[in-house]
Amino acid sequence: MTTPSAAVGTAQDAERQPAVVEVREVTRTFGPVTALDGVSLSVEPGQLVGLLGPNGAGKTTLLSLLSGLRRPDSGTVRIFGGDPRDPAARASLGTTPQETGLPDVLRVGEVVELVARHYPDPMPTGELLERFALGDMLRRQTGSLSGGQKRRLAVALALVGRPRLVLLDEPTTGLDVEARHELWSALRTFHSEGATVVVTSHYLEEIEALAERVVVVGQGRILADDSLSRILATVARRKVLVSLDEAAATELSVALPAVSAPAREGDRFSFLAADADALVRQLVRSGLPFSDLEVRGASLEEAFITLTQESR
Amino acid sequence: MTTIAPPALTEGRLARDLRLTFVHFRVQLVEMLRTPMAVIGNLVFPSVALLFFVVPQQAIASDPLLATSATAQLSAFAIASTCMFTFGLGVAEDRDKPFFPYLRTLPVGAVPPLAGRVLNGILWSFIALVPLALVGGLLTEATLSWGRLLPTLLAVVGVATPFTLLGLAIGYSMSTKAAIAVVQVSLFPLAFAGGMFMPPEIFPRWLDVLSSYTPTRGARELFVSAATGAPLDAHFAFVLAAWILVFATLVTIAFRRDEGRNFK
């Protein structure tokens, strides 16, 4: 099997290695819903990229384009320079089944074997299962595994073929803290062996633990693409709740930079602020009558809403 | 544009596809063997029909040619029904499960998983014939001479192929609920019109003409001819071959268009 375009030199002697992932101006709609809206993204070999965004942001659609499951309406998607719809381009790709959906009646060993047969140099089943603490589950039917075991097996399947690009969609959803940390450590080990990893999550904690580069996706567009530390600074917001009259709330939000428009929440107004201290100081200094003040960390979802509004 | 050559795939494309066909065939077979209830219903119905409608009729049951034809046409139905249910519904159900889109991300084309299913359709068709052969052979005068054995075995492949393809086309293009309805609504009228329940010799003229263009009639004639040694009218061979082409095209289109579950 050959790839359609002519290979100019091997990966080793090419001075500039081509991107592992190259997405250009991709749009994809599902009926009236625009899942991706002119998205461009390039991932270099060896990167560990976190795709962060609320549910419905377009993360899963983007992964389904990269794994060849779906076609973009317009724009181009390339992995290793080839079209992922072409099986040959997927020879170095590893993905996981969603929602821990494994064939109930097949044994763990049989599922791993099935996947392994598709790759030229698969990891030995025993070694793979050991890595994911599933060593003694070889002969168990997958239907009898616990949720955490299923999730680990699903991620293990992504690594069976020693892929050079791994796509993981919400890999640790539903796992307890300990299992989550074990899985992260297995993924970091695999990345340190040279693989490129793209992982989606709507948990900031997961992205913090894994990613070096973070791409924030919202409403089908890329809102931010930067190093982990800079993204953390951007999305780290505080939520300030306070009871005061509407005119005063508006006045307060425009008086300071990086404060969201007030939103009514019960009988209080809420603000998202990069610097909550400054907001409170301004509130007190203004002499406006207020009561019921509360300051707490904003959820990631709330932070995304501000990012989305700011990018307009 | 520079391409990082995929490391794999040093083996020839055909050898690889054949090997993967067998891999998928085996896994699908293991899955079915571990959930046998799914296929048992289909195995039972045709033999029950033979037992209730043919065995008690002495005029048919005691005539070797008529009894063999009756067993053969129900055998063709057994094969068609096994393939349509196993694959029409089986594939639609598979597509509802998240493991199915996962398999599509592996470096394998459309053909090996599909070919694995077709091989399973053929295998299950052979299995479906066992109870029919027992009822027909023990309780009626139906016979299969040694000379007719090989043609009959080949005819099983000839009947299983179009209906497996039709089942796959249905399974790949609609949801499980819709597939159940379409298979049930289409299989029985087609089987009746194709002379699988009652011999076409007793059909009125208009029904016989209509019947002669159905895939079920082509399948029925092929199987009866193979089992009894009666000559096969070239018209039916042609009609059956044409349907195989049509169904193969439908499967290919449905498979290419399928992106897993349809989100609307």
Side-chain angles (χ1 to χ4, degrees), chain A residues 1 3 5-9 11 14 18 28 30 67 69-71 78 80-81 85 87-88 90-93 95-99 101-103 105-107 110-111 114-115 117-120 141 157-158 164, chain B residues 1-13 16-17 19-20 23-24 26-27 30-32 34-35 97-110 255-261 263-264:
Chain A
M1 220 181 274
T3 38
S5 56
V8 185
R28 173 69 210 229
F30 296 102
S67 59
L69 281 176
R70 298 181 191 282
R71 238 188 291 264
R78 291 286 175 270
F80 303 109
R85 302 279 298 178
R90 301 196 296 264
S92 294
L93 174 72
T95 71
T96 60
Q98 274 202 308
E99 304 157 33
L102 299 158
V105 298
L106 292 184
R107 300 183 199 287
E110 287 168 341
V111 176
L114 167 65
V115 175
R117 299 276 183 173
H118 291 80
Y119 297 95
Q141 294 190 338
L157 290 181
R164 287 185 294 147
Chain B
M1 183 172 59
T2 318
T3 301
I4 302 178
L9 320 182
T10 41
E11 64 183 312
R13 182 176 180 151
R16 180 181 159 80
D17 279 0
R19 185 175 60 78
L20 289 176
V23 167
H24 284 269
R26 244 194 57 198
V27 166
V30 167
E31 276 199 272
M32 267 190 238
R34 291 197 190 141
T35 40
K97 297 175 191 158
F99 198 66
F100 180 81
Y102 167 72
L103 285 179
R104 298 196 62 171
T105 69
L106 297 178
V108 60
F255 192 89
R256 294 242 164 95
R257 284 176 50 177
D258 178 44
E259 293 191 329
R261 280 171 291 183
F263 298 98
K264 293 245 168 84

Side-chain angles (χ1 to χ4, degrees), chain A residues 134-216:
Chain A
L134 292 166
D136 27 346
M137 298 292 151
L138 190 69
R139 309 249 332 131
R140 288 270 292 273
Q141 294 190 338
T142 66
S144 73
L145 298 182
S146 73
Q149 290 166 336
K150 282 185 187 174
R151 179 55 74 178
R152 292 209 298 278
L153 177 57
V155 175
L157 290 181
L159 309 188
V160 173
R162 303 184 196 274
R164 287 185 294 147
L165 169 62
V166 182
L167 307 175
L168 299 166
D169 196 4
E170 311 272 348
T172 63
T173 304
L175 285 189
D176 60 41
V177 178
E178 195 186 344
R180 182 173 290 182
H181 285 263
E182 277 171 22
L183 199 56
W184 288 342
S185 129
L187 288 175
R188 278 192 296 256
T189 307
F190 191 74
H191 171 247
S192 68
E193 292 163 10
T196 308
V197 179
V198 177
V199 54
T200 76
S201 186
H202 59 272
Y203 297 121
L204 188 58
E205 190 199 357
E206 181 154 67
I207 296 291
E208 272 188 271
L210 288 175
E212 296 157 349
R213 169 184 168 196
V214 181
V215 175
V216 182

Side-chain angles (χ1 to χ4, degrees), chain A residues 61-305:
Chain A
T61 305
L62 185 55
L63 286 201
S64 71
L65 294 175
L66 292 178
S67 59
L69 281 176
R70 298 181 191 282
R71 238 188 291 264
D73 294 335
S74 65
T76 56
V77 178
R78 291 286 175 270
I79 59 170
F80 303 109
D83 183 347
R85 302 279 298 178
D86 173 11
R90 301 196 296 264
S92 294
L93 174 72
T95 71
T96 60
Q98 274 202 308
E99 304 157 33
T100 63
L102 299 158
D104 287 347
V105 298
L106 292 184
R107 300 183 199 287
V108 170
E110 287 168 341
V111 176
V112 175
E113 281 293 310
L114 167 65
V115 175
R117 299 276 183 173
H118 291 80
Y119 297 95
D121 178 30
M123 233 183 257
T125 304
E127 184 194 325
L128 180 80
L129 293 180
E130 282 305 326
R131 259 194 196 215
F132 287 90
L134 292 166
D136 27 346
M137 298 292 151
L138 190 69
R139 309 249 332 131
R140 288 270 292 273
Q141 294 190 338
T142 66
S144 73
L145 298 182
S146 73
Q149 290 166 336
K150 282 185 187 174
R151 179 55 74 178
R152 292 209 298 278
L153 177 57
V155 175
L157 290 181
L159 309 188
V160 173
R162 303 184 196 274
R164 287 185 294 147
L165 169 62
V166 182
L167 307 175
L168 299 166
D169 196 4
E170 311 272 348
T172 63
T173 304
L175 285 189
D176 60 41
V177 178
E178 195 186 344
R180 182 173 290 182
H181 285 263
E182 277 171 22
L183 199 56
W184 288 342
S185 129
L187 288 175
R188 278 192 296 256
T189 307
F190 191 74
H191 171 247
S192 68
E193 292 163 10
T196 308
V197 179
V198 177
V199 54
T200 76
S201 186
H202 59 272
Y203 297 121
L204 188 58
E205 190 199 357
E206 181 154 67
I207 296 291
E208 272 188 271
L210 288 175
E212 296 157 349
R213 169 184 168 196
V214 181
V215 175
V216 182
V217 186
Q219 300 182 340
R221 285 176 307 140
I222 289 181
L223 304 177
D225 180 352
D226 216 325
S227 67
L228 175 65
S229 53
R230 295 178 68 164
I231 293 291
L232 284 181
T234 317
V235 296
R237 299 283 160 131
R238 296 247 141 204
K239 187 171 182 172
V240 179
L241 290 139
V242 65
S243 195
L244 75 176
D245 73 64
E246 191 163 355
T250 314
E251 190 185 316
L252 188 62
S253 74
V254 294
L256 284 170
V259 171
S260 71
R264 194 176 277 282
E265 217 166 291
D267 51 7
R268 294 189 290 184
F269 281 102
S270 75
F271 305 85
L272 290 175
D275 186 348
D277 302 331
L279 179 67
V280 173
R281 236 177 272 125
Q282 175 70 25
L283 179 63
V284 174
R285 198 184 307 133
S286 67
L288 294 164
F290 72 90
S291 61
D292 223 356
L293 176 67
E294 184 187 343
V295 180
R296 56 179 166 87
S299 73
L300 204 53
E301 253 74 14
E302 291 164 337
F304 287 137
I305 293 167

